[in-house]
Amino acid sequence: MFFMPGGHKDHGLPHNPFKSLVAPRPIGWITTLDEAGVINLAPYSFFNAVSDQPPIVFFAPNGPTRRDGVKDSQANAKATGEFVCNIVSLDLKDAMNATSAPVGPEVDESQLAGLEMIPSKIVAPPRVAASPVHLECKTMQTLELPCTTEGMSNFVVFGEVVGIHIDESVINDKGLVDVTRYKPLARLGYMDYSAVTEVFSLKRPE
Ligand SMILES: Cc1cc2nc3c(=O)[nH]c(=O)nc-3n(C[C@H](O)[C@H](O)[C@H](O)COP(=O)(O)O)c2cc1C
């Protein structure tokens, strides 16, 4: 089949397949603080790393706008200049999902999900204690991208990773991170998810 996105239901399928095609997508579980110090925690699967010198990650808030036009994570990351990306292990899937509830900025989603939070080392937003990996980030830049649907918006928030925490239990005896020890959760399309449970290596051509 072939379709050109942009027309309403032009794919002829019951659901838009786009997000099931660019998959799996890692999930950035973003902690921020608002200016009053209230914790905000939300998952973003339009999330990835874009560079490693320095390490830079992004998350992309989009969809129906809230709070003066932007989602809480974006508003806080811009106002305070900081966020933390917690990596979601398979066993945190339900807690992660609970923190995606569309609640107001006064609600601390980490409490909704019953999660213990621990202090970061460099930035003020705290970390999800149970996450095996945390990336402490300083907000670098927010881009607004065109959006084709009225009442919705598309943004990308970039952050420089200034501190990295790795739980010792996921580092093997060769000093390598073994992702199969925590099984990072990834988003597919529809309501589907996947987790990394197997790894193989390939050598690049000389
Ligand atoms: C697995 C998962 C991935 C999500 N990815 C995104 C995303 O990439 N962009 C987005 O705007 N919302 C995404 N959402 C929805 C947000 O988490 C949700 O809108 C949340 O309420 C935003 O919270 P905030 O306003 O506190 O930032 C995702 C939800 C789930 C469960």
Side-chain angles (χ1 to χ4, degrees), residues 30-33 47 57-59 73 77 80-85 123 125 135-140 157-160:
I30 306 297
T31 320
T32 51
L33 290 178
F47 162 80
V57 294
F58 75 86
F59 67 95
S73 305
T80 66
E82 297 179 338
F83 63 93
V84 171
C85 167
V123 301
L135 310 176
E136 296 190 23
C137 300
K138 296 270 189 191
T139 309
M140 296 178 95
V157 180
F158 292 94
E160 178 177 347

Side-chain angles (χ1 to χ4, degrees), residues 186-201:
R187 189 76 170 91
L188 305 175
Y190 315 118
M191 305 309 286
D192 299 341
Y193 291 82
S194 182
V196 181
T197 57
E198 274 179 54
V199 172
F200 61 87
S201 301

Side-chain angles (χ1 to χ4, degrees), residues 21-68:
L21 304 174
V22 186
R25 296 183 307 285
I27 298 170
W29 202 9
I30 306 297
T31 320
T32 51
L33 290 178
D34 73 8
E35 284 168 302
V38 176
I39 296 174
N40 194 90
L41 179 63
Y44 286 83
S45 71
F46 287 144
F47 162 80
N48 220 313
V50 288
S51 112
D52 68 353
Q53 302 289 337
I56 297 173
V57 294
F58 75 86
F59 67 95
N62 55 34
T65 53
R66 304 205 288 272
R67 197 196 190 193
D68 300 331

Side-chain angles (χ1 to χ4, degrees), residues 6-7 21 35 41 45 50 66 68 91 112-113 122-123 131 134 161 167 169 177-178 182 188 191:
L21 304 174
E35 284 168 302
L41 179 63
S45 71
V50 288
R66 304 205 288 272
D68 300 331
D91 60 359
L112 274 187
I122 297 172
V123 301
S131 284
H134 313 97
V161 180
D167 194 294
S169 68
V177 172
D178 179 354
Y182 61 97
L188 305 175
M191 305 309 286

Side-chain angles (χ1 to χ4, degrees), residues 82-165:
E82 297 179 338
F83 63 93
V84 171
C85 167
N86 306 273
I87 297 298
V88 185
S89 52
L90 177 58
D91 60 359
L92 288 170
K93 65 178 172 30
D94 295 320
M96 177 282 298
N97 198 29
T99 63
S100 72
V103 291
E106 71 288 354
V107 178
D108 171 355
E109 294 90 348
S110 69
Q111 284 190 6
L112 274 187
L115 290 161
E116 183 195 349
M117 303 300 286
I118 53 175
S120 294
K121 281 205 189 300
I122 297 172
V123 301
R127 302 175 282 145
V128 173
S131 284
V133 174
H134 313 97
L135 310 176
E136 296 190 23
C137 300
K138 296 270 189 191
T139 309
M140 296 178 95
Q141 198 179 346
T142 300
L143 288 181
E144 182 166 14
L145 302 175
C147 184
T148 48
T149 306
E150 200 173 332
M152 297 204 177
S153 55
N154 286 324
F155 291 92
V156 189
V157 180
F158 292 94
E160 178 177 347
V161 180
V162 293
I164 298 179
H165 304 257

